[in-house]
Amino acid sequence: MAEAEQVKVLRFWASPWSFRVELALKLKGVPHEKVEEDLANKSPLLLASNPIHKKIPVLLHNGKAIPESLIILEYIDETWTDNPILPKAPHERGMARFWSRFIDDKCVGACWMSCWTEGETQQMFMEQARACLRILDDELGGRRFFGGESIGLVDISASFFALWLGVLQEVAGISLINGDEFPNLCRWIEGFVASDVVTECLPPRDKLLAVFQSKKQAILATKSMVY
Amino acid sequence: MIFPSTAHGSSSVGTRDASRDLFPCIECLRRRRCVSDNLTRGGVPIEFFHISVLLRPHKSPPHEPHPQEATMAEAVVLLDVWVSPFGQRCRIALAEKGVAYEYKEEDLSNKSPMLLQANPVHKKIPVLIHDGKPVCESLVIVQYIDEVWSDGAPILPADPYARAQARFWGDFVDKKIYECGTRLWKLKGEALQEAKKEFIEILKVLEAELGDRKYFGGDAFGYVDIALVPFFAWFYTYETCGGFSVEAEAPKLVAWGKRCMERESVSQTLYDPLKVYEFVGFLKKKYGVE
């Protein structure tokens, strides 16, 4: 290759979504530059790269902008083909996409809202969150990772549960993920965070805890994920 | 009760015993519960699709396999509901690839064991079952179809960046059109005006993305076209309920829709916009929205 590849990630250090992208690049051994965004004051580069949603993460590959974490993950897998994160067989690929969407569309939202609501509304969200976690726990079963023996698309998508959920439930003073109800998931979390590649990319837990504590009032008022 | 004929003109009109069909549905509505535990799609309670049973055109399924295709067709089954734009995406993709399949109309007030087994998580249509293995979620199904029947014209482009762009816009359609469109027929007053403003904005964004291209895929009909075109039949409903004109706000998008309708895969799948409007009208009465 004549030119060096230019790979940048527009990211926010505390975001589980930009973590997904960085983990995938790390798994593939792709050198990249991390460009930290101030989400209260988004850069012209971010606004130009993702004019529709104006959100991180955005992958910039030789000037081409790819937003939306799950779409970025598929792009990474198709561009750097070593250490695949999606299975080969179409049906298994379909299942991996299905579970990633389930995590994004149902699970994360229910867990998030469980933390920031009260009373009956909170009970409703907690029930939904538990139902989602139960489904994921059953789906994982006795496997080491959702991807089988190695970290795959679904594992990367589920990284929110590996660190962020524990932090959020501590800030909110609730208990969602526990070893009694979700033994498979808890075992998966232990294995996931112990993996070298993951450890290198994860933000420090105490820093994460501090930032969510400091933003607690703002989040309670708006319920928005401040990304 | 007379049922409407299909958009493509085959006059399969039949009658149904209205009381037999109405009774289980009203019971469901009275209970305000459904099999899938009050899950919603885009804010619309899943009961919405119960009503679809009553207005289902009494006709042969969208694709009847020829006898010699029967063995192959049995290997591919689509669980669907006639009016579903999500199911239509799958039908169009299968037709584009020339895949023979068996279509099974689901009664969402009485979901089949096959559907509950094939999609235990969401209990929703569409589900594609291929050689006994289910695939769920319409755009996941479309990608699956593209990967399995790779001999036919590609639905997603080959280049990873172009694929990412196509997935982005498919995702945009998924997140925006149905949810905002539903608010157009469900809401009144200020909330309706808010939805109208948002919907017009969505149309303009899509129109800007389409530009002067023949299709969202460029010269080739593809993934984004398949994701969006079923909603072309819903534009009449959205504009009538919302009090605006899609053509006035997004003329290129309407021209695109008409071009897509020249493709047999699309014209044989979409229903007449008036039928969709009639269906939504029935829903509005049932929900007490007037």
Side-chain angles (χ1 to χ4, degrees):
Chain A
M1 246 175 283
E3 290 170 35
E5 284 201 294
Q6 218 198 42
V7 183
K8 290 186 193 183
V9 183
L10 305 185
R11 50 100 76 170
F12 176 54
W13 71 272
S15 162
W17 288 277
S18 51
F19 168 80
R20 288 172 170 179
V21 174
E22 288 161 35
L23 178 59
L25 290 169
K26 200 88 189 181
L27 284 165
K28 300 271 188 175
V30 178
H32 57 278
E33 184 190 337
K34 294 177 207 179
V35 180
E36 189 71 25
E37 281 286 330
D38 174 0
L39 298 180
N41 187 22
K42 291 174 182 177
S43 71
L45 179 59
L46 173 56
L47 298 176
S49 304
N50 189 1
I52 302 292
H53 300 306
K54 304 176 176 56
K55 287 183 181 173
I56 56 91
V58 180
L59 181 76
L60 293 168
H61 181 208
N62 294 336
K64 293 177 285 195
I66 301 108
E68 298 291 295
S69 63
L70 292 186
I71 293 171
I72 297 171
L73 293 179
E74 295 232 31
Y75 176 83
I76 289 171
D77 206 40
E78 288 169 1
T79 304
W80 295 280
T81 50
D82 286 345
N83 300 331
I85 56 178
L86 269 138
K88 275 201 169 64
H91 183 256
E92 286 166 41
R93 293 166 74 81
M95 291 310 292
R97 288 173 179 138
F98 172 84
W99 287 112
S100 298
R101 279 164 171 256
F102 175 70
I103 286 166
D104 262 9
D105 294 347
K106 293 270 183 278
C107 302
V108 172
C111 291
W112 176 263
M113 292 303 279
S114 295
C115 294
W116 313 116
T117 48
E118 293 174 333
E120 263 183 49
T121 313
Q122 185 178 48
Q123 286 310 310
M124 180 194 74
F125 280 120
M126 286 184 75
E127 258 181 59
Q128 279 185 15
R130 287 201 181 97
C132 287
L133 293 171
R134 205 163 295 125
I135 288 169
L136 283 178
D137 195 83
D138 286 344
E139 170 56 23
L140 178 62
R143 289 180 293 169
R144 189 174 165 211
F145 297 115
F146 287 97
E149 279 308 304
S150 58
I151 290 172
L153 180 74
V154 183
D155 302 280
I156 300 172
S157 306
S159 48
F160 171 84
F161 306 111
L163 178 62
W164 283 265
L165 180 55
V167 168
L168 289 175
Q169 63 182 27
E170 191 175 321
V171 171
I174 61 166
S175 171
L176 272 178
I177 191 133
N178 63 81
D180 292 328
E181 276 184 83
F182 313 111
N184 296 322
L185 266 181
C186 288
R187 187 197 70 242
W188 170 83
I189 288 171
E190 269 181 51
F192 186 75
V193 302
S195 139
D196 289 338
V197 177
V198 172
T199 316
E200 281 171 40
C201 298
L202 273 179
R205 192 183 193 278
D206 52 355
K207 257 188 95 181
L208 213 53
L209 191 64
V211 83
F212 278 110
Q213 290 279 19
S214 69
K215 288 188 188 289
K216 186 173 176 177
Q217 293 313 312
I219 301 172
L220 280 168
T222 63
K223 311 287 186 280
S224 77
M225 301 192 198
V226 282
Y227 301 118
Chain B
M1 187 182 281
I2 307 288
F3 282 82
S5 56
T6 63
H8 53 89
S10 76
S11 54
S12 331
V13 175
T15 57
R16 299 273 290 271
D17 177 343
S19 62
R20 181 164 55 80
D21 288 328
L22 275 169
F23 181 72
C25 223
I26 287 175
E27 188 50 47
C28 256
L29 285 170
R30 203 181 300 137
R31 289 199 304 267
R32 298 299 288 174
R33 283 176 58 229
C34 61
V35 175
S36 46
D37 296 322
N38 295 317
L39 284 175
T40 64
R41 173 180 282 149
V44 180
I46 206 94
E47 295 103 321
F48 163 95
F49 285 109
H50 299 179
I51 317 293
S52 73
V53 174
L54 306 177
L55 290 178
R56 184 173 69 231
H58 185 64
K59 66 179 187 80
S60 45
H63 180 102
E64 272 212 80
H66 296 299
Q68 54 266 42
E69 291 177 319
T71 314
M72 282 189 67
E74 281 153 21
V76 187
V77 179
L78 182 68
L79 308 182
D80 201 349
V81 164
W82 70 277
V83 71
S84 164
F86 305 98
Q88 286 173 330
R89 289 167 168 175
C90 307
R91 286 176 246 163
I92 292 168
L94 288 163
E96 285 286 321
K97 296 281 190 174
V99 177
Y101 67 98
E102 186 187 347
Y103 177 94
K104 281 190 191 289
E105 180 77 16
E106 280 287 331
D107 172 358
L108 294 180
S109 66
N110 184 22
K111 291 174 183 179
S112 70
M114 188 184 267
L115 174 57
L116 299 177
Q117 195 179 28
N119 191 357
V121 174
H122 301 303
K123 305 175 178 62
K124 287 182 186 175
I125 57 90
V127 181
L128 186 79
I129 306 175
H130 181 206
D131 288 336
K133 290 190 268 195
V135 186
C136 309
E137 300 289 298
S138 63
L139 291 184
V140 175
I141 295 170
V142 170
Q143 289 184 77
Y144 176 85
I145 290 167
D146 198 32
E147 287 173 5
V148 170
W149 290 280
S150 49
D151 288 348
I155 290 173
L156 272 165
D159 171 64
Y161 180 58
R163 291 163 76 83
Q165 288 178 302
R167 285 182 176 127
F168 175 85
W169 288 105
D171 184 62
F172 179 85
V173 172
D174 247 11
K175 286 189 168 107
K176 302 282 187 186
I177 293 272
Y178 188 76
E179 190 275 328
C180 193
T182 300
R183 281 190 277 139
L184 285 173
W185 65 259
K186 263 205 148 183
L187 303 178
K188 293 283 154 203
E190 229 182 272
L192 172 60
Q193 292 310 310
E194 175 83 35
K196 171 182 163 182
K197 204 172 139 211
E198 269 184 55
F199 195 84
I200 291 171
E201 179 57 35
I202 291 165
L203 289 176
K204 289 197 186 297
V205 167
L206 287 167
E207 170 122 327
E209 173 57 22
L210 175 68
D212 292 316
R213 291 182 290 176
K214 187 177 179 190
Y215 299 116
F216 283 92
D219 288 329
F221 180 79
Y223 185 78
V224 183
D225 306 286
I226 293 174
L228 180 59
V229 81
F231 295 101
F232 183 64
W234 289 71
F235 282 173
Y236 176 75
T237 298
Y238 293 149
E239 67 191 0
T240 307
C241 295
F244 62 96
S245 157
V246 175
E247 183 141 27
E249 302 291 348
K252 288 180 180 174
L253 209 56
V254 171
W256 159 85
K258 289 177 181 170
R259 278 197 294 280
C260 292
M261 285 295 287
E262 289 168 12
R263 302 181 76 83
E264 207 179 292
S265 65
V266 178
S267 61
Q268 294 281 314
T269 300
L270 266 55
Y271 284 87
D272 190 315
L274 288 173
K275 304 296 173 275
V276 175
Y277 183 69
E278 186 181 47
F279 170 74
V280 172
F282 194 86
L283 278 182
K284 285 174 74 157
K285 281 203 190 86
K286 287 299 164 193
Y287 281 107
V289 179
E290 271 312 339

mmCIF file of all heavy atoms in Angstrom, chain A residues 47-73:
data_model
loop_
_atom_site.group_PDB
_atom_site.id
_atom_site.type_symbol
_atom_site.label_atom_id
_atom_site.label_comp_id
_atom_site.label_asym_id
_atom_site.label_seq_id
_atom_site.Cartn_x
_atom_site.Cartn_y
_atom_site.Cartn_z
ATOM 1 N N LEU A 47 -19.781 17.689 13.295
ATOM 2 C CA LEU A 47 -21.039 18.143 12.684
ATOM 3 C C LEU A 47 -21.026 17.902 11.179
ATOM 4 O O LEU A 47 -22.057 17.589 10.582
ATOM 5 C CB LEU A 47 -21.276 19.624 13.018
ATOM 6 C CG LEU A 47 -21.420 19.922 14.513
ATOM 7 C CD1 LEU A 47 -21.552 21.415 14.760
ATOM 8 C CD2 LEU A 47 -22.629 19.202 15.112
ATOM 9 N N ALA A 48 -19.844 18.020 10.568
ATOM 10 C CA ALA A 48 -19.744 17.775 9.127
ATOM 11 C C ALA A 48 -19.760 16.271 8.825
ATOM 12 O O ALA A 48 -20.274 15.843 7.797
ATOM 13 C CB ALA A 48 -18.464 18.392 8.580
ATOM 14 N N SER A 49 -19.202 15.476 9.739
ATOM 15 C CA SER A 49 -19.101 14.028 9.510
ATOM 16 C C SER A 49 -20.409 13.299 9.764
ATOM 17 O O SER A 49 -20.653 12.249 9.198
ATOM 18 C CB SER A 49 -18.034 13.424 10.428
ATOM 19 O OG SER A 49 -16.798 14.070 10.240
ATOM 20 N N ASN A 50 -21.215 13.827 10.671
ATOM 21 C CA ASN A 50 -22.490 13.196 10.982
ATOM 22 C C ASN A 50 -23.575 14.258 11.060
ATOM 23 O O ASN A 50 -24.137 14.522 12.116
ATOM 24 C CB ASN A 50 -22.399 12.422 12.306
ATOM 25 C CG ASN A 50 -23.623 11.556 12.569
ATOM 26 O OD1 ASN A 50 -24.553 11.502 11.755
ATOM 27 N ND2 ASN A 50 -23.632 10.874 13.699
ATOM 28 N N PRO A 51 -23.884 14.890 9.917
ATOM 29 C CA PRO A 51 -24.826 16.014 9.930
ATOM 30 C C PRO A 51 -26.249 15.605 10.318
ATOM 31 O O PRO A 51 -26.994 16.414 10.854
ATOM 32 C CB PRO A 51 -24.787 16.528 8.481
ATOM 33 C CG PRO A 51 -24.299 15.384 7.666
ATOM 34 C CD PRO A 51 -23.400 14.594 8.556
ATOM 35 N N ILE A 52 -26.613 14.341 10.080
ATOM 36 C CA ILE A 52 -27.986 13.909 10.367
ATOM 37 C C ILE A 52 -28.209 13.767 11.874
ATOM 38 O O ILE A 52 -29.161 14.293 12.422
ATOM 39 C CB ILE A 52 -28.302 12.573 9.664
ATOM 40 C CG1 ILE A 52 -28.104 12.693 8.147
ATOM 41 C CG2 ILE A 52 -29.710 12.095 9.990
ATOM 42 C CD1 ILE A 52 -29.096 13.581 7.420
ATOM 43 N N HIS A 53 -27.342 13.017 12.548
ATOM 44 C CA HIS A 53 -27.564 12.746 13.971
ATOM 45 C C HIS A 53 -26.666 13.567 14.881
ATOM 46 O O HIS A 53 -26.961 13.736 16.056
ATOM 47 C CB HIS A 53 -27.347 11.258 14.280
ATOM 48 C CG HIS A 53 -28.253 10.350 13.520
ATOM 49 N ND1 HIS A 53 -29.624 10.489 13.522
ATOM 50 C CD2 HIS A 53 -27.997 9.297 12.707
ATOM 51 C CE1 HIS A 53 -30.164 9.552 12.762
ATOM 52 N NE2 HIS A 53 -29.204 8.808 12.258
ATOM 53 N N LYS A 54 -25.542 14.077 14.339
ATOM 54 C CA LYS A 54 -24.604 14.914 15.107
ATOM 55 C C LYS A 54 -24.103 14.200 16.369
ATOM 56 O O LYS A 54 -23.978 14.813 17.422
ATOM 57 C CB LYS A 54 -25.261 16.255 15.495
ATOM 58 C CG LYS A 54 -25.797 17.040 14.306
ATOM 59 C CD LYS A 54 -26.525 18.294 14.755
ATOM 60 C CE LYS A 54 -27.001 19.159 13.607
ATOM 61 N NZ LYS A 54 -27.858 18.515 12.624
ATOM 62 N N LYS A 55 -23.862 12.892 16.255
ATOM 63 C CA LYS A 55 -23.463 12.129 17.437
ATOM 64 C C LYS A 55 -22.149 11.414 17.219
ATOM 65 O O LYS A 55 -21.771 11.100 16.078
ATOM 66 C CB LYS A 55 -24.525 11.067 17.746
ATOM 67 C CG LYS A 55 -25.822 11.589 18.320
ATOM 68 C CD LYS A 55 -26.746 10.417 18.637
ATOM 69 C CE LYS A 55 -28.058 10.897 19.189
ATOM 70 N NZ LYS A 55 -29.009 9.805 19.337
ATOM 71 N N ILE A 56 -21.494 11.118 18.338
ATOM 72 C CA ILE A 56 -20.348 10.188 18.275
ATOM 73 C C ILE A 56 -20.888 8.788 18.535
ATOM 74 O O ILE A 56 -21.979 8.642 19.096
ATOM 75 C CB ILE A 56 -19.261 10.555 19.339
ATOM 76 C CG1 ILE A 56 -19.856 10.591 20.760
ATOM 77 C CG2 ILE A 56 -18.607 11.876 19.027
ATOM 78 C CD1 ILE A 56 -19.785 9.306 21.520
ATOM 79 N N PRO A 57 -20.204 7.723 18.135
ATOM 80 C CA PRO A 57 -18.904 7.762 17.463
ATOM 81 C C PRO A 57 -19.047 7.956 15.947
ATOM 82 O O PRO A 57 -20.081 7.627 15.365
ATOM 83 C CB PRO A 57 -18.340 6.369 17.745
ATOM 84 C CG PRO A 57 -19.537 5.490 17.852
ATOM 85 C CD PRO A 57 -20.645 6.346 18.436
ATOM 86 N N VAL A 58 -18.010 8.482 15.345
ATOM 87 C CA VAL A 58 -17.898 8.494 13.892
ATOM 88 C C VAL A 58 -16.513 7.945 13.559
ATOM 89 O O VAL A 58 -15.525 8.345 14.178
ATOM 90 C CB VAL A 58 -18.031 9.915 13.297
ATOM 91 C CG1 VAL A 58 -17.896 9.870 11.771
ATOM 92 C CG2 VAL A 58 -19.371 10.546 13.678
ATOM 93 N N LEU A 59 -16.463 7.022 12.629
ATOM 94 C CA LEU A 59 -15.182 6.519 12.138
ATOM 95 C C LEU A 59 -14.830 7.316 10.890
ATOM 96 O O LEU A 59 -15.664 7.476 10.002
ATOM 97 C CB LEU A 59 -15.283 5.032 11.791
ATOM 98 C CG LEU A 59 -13.984 4.403 11.287
ATOM 99 C CD1 LEU A 59 -13.028 4.165 12.451
ATOM 100 C CD2 LEU A 59 -14.248 3.077 10.571
ATOM 101 N N LEU A 60 -13.613 7.840 10.865
ATOM 102 C CA LEU A 60 -13.137 8.523 9.655
ATOM 103 C C LEU A 60 -12.027 7.667 9.064
ATOM 104 O O LEU A 60 -10.990 7.464 9.701
ATOM 105 C CB LEU A 60 -12.597 9.918 10.008
ATOM 106 C CG LEU A 60 -13.644 10.916 10.509
ATOM 107 C CD1 LEU A 60 -12.991 12.152 11.109
ATOM 108 C CD2 LEU A 60 -14.579 11.340 9.381
ATOM 109 N N HIS A 61 -12.260 7.127 7.892
ATOM 110 C CA HIS A 61 -11.270 6.269 7.248
ATOM 111 C C HIS A 61 -10.847 6.915 5.941
ATOM 112 O O HIS A 61 -11.625 6.964 4.993
ATOM 113 C CB HIS A 61 -11.850 4.862 6.995
ATOM 114 C CG HIS A 61 -10.882 3.921 6.361
ATOM 115 N ND1 HIS A 61 -11.270 2.868 5.562
ATOM 116 C CD2 HIS A 61 -9.524 3.857 6.422
ATOM 117 C CE1 HIS A 61 -10.197 2.209 5.148
ATOM 118 N NE2 HIS A 61 -9.134 2.783 5.659
ATOM 119 N N ASN A 62 -9.621 7.415 5.908
ATOM 120 C CA ASN A 62 -9.129 8.138 4.725
ATOM 121 C C ASN A 62 -10.136 9.205 4.285
ATOM 122 O O ASN A 62 -10.448 9.335 3.105
ATOM 123 C CB ASN A 62 -8.827 7.169 3.583
ATOM 124 C CG ASN A 62 -7.670 6.240 3.900
ATOM 125 O OD1 ASN A 62 -6.816 6.569 4.735
ATOM 126 N ND2 ASN A 62 -7.651 5.083 3.262
ATOM 127 N N GLY A 63 -10.664 9.905 5.272
ATOM 128 C CA GLY A 63 -11.573 11.009 4.974
ATOM 129 C C GLY A 63 -13.035 10.612 4.844
ATOM 130 O O GLY A 63 -13.915 11.471 4.862
ATOM 131 N N LYS A 64 -13.334 9.315 4.730
ATOM 132 C CA LYS A 64 -14.736 8.883 4.609
ATOM 133 C C LYS A 64 -15.322 8.732 6.013
ATOM 134 O O LYS A 64 -14.711 8.116 6.869
ATOM 135 C CB LYS A 64 -14.828 7.547 3.862
ATOM 136 C CG LYS A 64 -14.428 7.649 2.394
ATOM 137 C CD LYS A 64 -14.460 6.303 1.708
ATOM 138 C CE LYS A 64 -13.286 5.459 2.113
ATOM 139 N NZ LYS A 64 -13.066 4.286 1.219
ATOM 140 N N ALA A 65 -16.510 9.302 6.192
ATOM 141 C CA ALA A 65 -17.133 9.301 7.519
ATOM 142 C C ALA A 65 -18.196 8.218 7.616
ATOM 143 O O ALA A 65 -19.087 8.137 6.765
ATOM 144 C CB ALA A 65 -17.765 10.661 7.789
ATOM 145 N N ILE A 66 -18.089 7.400 8.668
ATOM 146 C CA ILE A 66 -19.108 6.370 8.912
ATOM 147 C C ILE A 66 -19.630 6.547 10.335
ATOM 148 O O ILE A 66 -18.876 6.378 11.294
ATOM 149 C CB ILE A 66 -18.531 4.945 8.747
ATOM 150 C CG1 ILE A 66 -17.979 4.762 7.337
ATOM 151 C CG2 ILE A 66 -19.597 3.881 8.980
ATOM 152 C CD1 ILE A 66 -16.492 4.720 7.278
ATOM 153 N N PRO A 67 -20.914 6.946 10.481
ATOM 154 C CA PRO A 67 -21.501 7.086 11.818
ATOM 155 C C PRO A 67 -22.301 5.841 12.209
ATOM 156 O O PRO A 67 -22.480 4.940 11.392
ATOM 157 C CB PRO A 67 -22.433 8.286 11.655
ATOM 158 C CG PRO A 67 -22.762 8.344 10.198
ATOM 159 C CD PRO A 67 -21.820 7.471 9.448
ATOM 160 N N GLU A 68 -22.794 5.831 13.461
ATOM 161 C CA GLU A 68 -23.625 4.751 14.016
ATOM 162 C C GLU A 68 -22.778 3.516 14.332
ATOM 163 O O GLU A 68 -22.288 2.825 13.425
ATOM 164 C CB GLU A 68 -24.765 4.344 13.072
ATOM 165 C CG GLU A 68 -25.757 5.461 12.792
ATOM 166 C CD GLU A 68 -26.597 5.833 14.001
ATOM 167 O OE1 GLU A 68 -27.399 5.010 14.471
ATOM 168 O OE2 GLU A 68 -26.436 6.977 14.480
ATOM 169 N N SER A 69 -22.667 3.211 15.626
ATOM 170 C CA SER A 69 -21.691 2.205 16.058
ATOM 171 C C SER A 69 -21.861 0.846 15.389
ATOM 172 O O SER A 69 -20.872 0.247 14.957
ATOM 173 C CB SER A 69 -21.693 2.056 17.582
ATOM 174 O OG SER A 69 -22.946 1.592 18.043
ATOM 175 N N LEU A 70 -23.091 0.328 15.278
ATOM 176 C CA LEU A 70 -23.255 -1.008 14.684
ATOM 177 C C LEU A 70 -22.885 -1.003 13.201
ATOM 178 O O LEU A 70 -22.346 -1.983 12.682
ATOM 179 C CB LEU A 70 -24.693 -1.532 14.870
ATOM 180 C CG LEU A 70 -25.119 -1.851 16.298
ATOM 181 C CD1 LEU A 70 -26.503 -2.498 16.320
ATOM 182 C CD2 LEU A 70 -24.124 -2.777 16.994
ATOM 183 N N ILE A 71 -23.154 0.108 12.531
ATOM 184 C CA ILE A 71 -22.793 0.217 11.118
ATOM 185 C C ILE A 71 -21.276 0.309 10.993
ATOM 186 O O ILE A 71 -20.671 -0.308 10.101
ATOM 187 C CB ILE A 71 -23.493 1.433 10.479
ATOM 188 C CG1 ILE A 71 -25.005 1.180 10.440
ATOM 189 C CG2 ILE A 71 -22.963 1.711 9.077
ATOM 190 C CD1 ILE A 71 -25.850 2.365 10.033
ATOM 191 N N ILE A 72 -20.646 1.032 11.919
ATOM 192 C CA ILE A 72 -19.183 1.126 11.927
ATOM 193 C C ILE A 72 -18.569 -0.259 12.136
ATOM 194 O O ILE A 72 -17.597 -0.630 11.465
ATOM 195 C CB ILE A 72 -18.692 2.088 13.034
ATOM 196 C CG1 ILE A 72 -19.192 3.524 12.764
ATOM 197 C CG2 ILE A 72 -17.165 2.074 13.111
ATOM 198 C CD1 ILE A 72 -18.932 4.486 13.919
ATOM 199 N N LEU A 73 -19.144 -1.053 13.052
ATOM 200 C CA LEU A 73 -18.600 -2.391 13.322
ATOM 201 C C LEU A 73 -18.606 -3.254 12.062
ATOM 202 O O LEU A 73 -17.641 -3.959 11.768
ATOM 203 C CB LEU A 73 -19.385 -3.085 14.443
ATOM 204 C CG LEU A 73 -19.260 -2.476 15.836
ATOM 205 C CD1 LEU A 73 -20.105 -3.252 16.851
ATOM 206 C CD2 LEU A 73 -17.811 -2.444 16.308
#
